[in-house]
Amino acid sequence: MIYYSTTVTGIGAEVPDLLDGGVLILYADGAPPALAEISVQHRVDGAVPTLAPPVGASIFVGDLSTRVSAVGSTAWSKVRELGHVVLNFNGARLAERPGEICVEPCDLMAVRRQMRSGNTIRITD
């Protein structure tokens, strides 16, 4: 099942610094300027299902993949309503913040190289 598929349309100036700290913020096209500076702007491809991805689902950032380790209590509703999510590459088994999706750690420099317009971010089984 495809839980989420989106195409990167822009990269905010502060995204690399946040990614160095293990955080990637996504916000759908049309974000206010202050949020656009810290976000990866994107266009959602298709409908987003009601069901949130389970722990263990695969997340692909361009050519890289890792796995979901936790989903915050409000994270999926924010994805569905606003196209907004915070991906935290900390591997936590319990999300510290309700609006974040935690994923297994991976090579953040490689993730950084995948952050370019036209690349996709997907969450699948």
Side-chain angles (χ1 to χ4, degrees), residues 3-4 48-59 67-80 84-88 90-104 123-125:
Y3 294 94
Y4 201 60
V48 178
T50 304
L51 185 64
V55 169
S58 296
I59 181 163
R67 298 220 175 256
V68 172
S69 62
V71 179
S73 60
T74 62
W76 202 245
S77 64
K78 288 184 178 196
V79 168
R80 294 186 75 237
H84 170 62
V85 67
V86 175
L87 298 177
N88 193 334
N90 63 3
R93 299 293 175 227
L94 181 63
E96 290 181 26
R97 291 172 291 283
E100 73 181 355
I101 295 177
C102 300
V103 298
E104 295 295 331
I123 304 174
T124 67
D125 275 342

Side-chain angles (χ1 to χ4, degrees), residues 5 10 16 20 23 26-28 30 37-38 40 43 51 54 59 63 68 83-84 89 93 95 101 103 114 117 120 123:
S5 179
D20 287 345
V23 174
L26 306 179
Y27 215 106
E37 285 296 309
I38 63 169
V40 172
R43 181 188 67 250
L51 185 64
I59 181 163
D63 296 332
V68 172
H84 170 62
F89 290 85
R93 299 293 175 227
I101 295 177
V103 298
Q114 294 298 315
S117 290
T120 59
I123 304 174

Side-chain angles (χ1 to χ4, degrees), residues 12 15 18 25-27 30-41 82 84:
V15 168
L18 289 168
I25 300 171
L26 306 179
Y27 215 106
L35 293 175
E37 285 296 309
I38 63 169
S39 301
V40 172
Q41 298 280 292
L82 303 171
H84 170 62

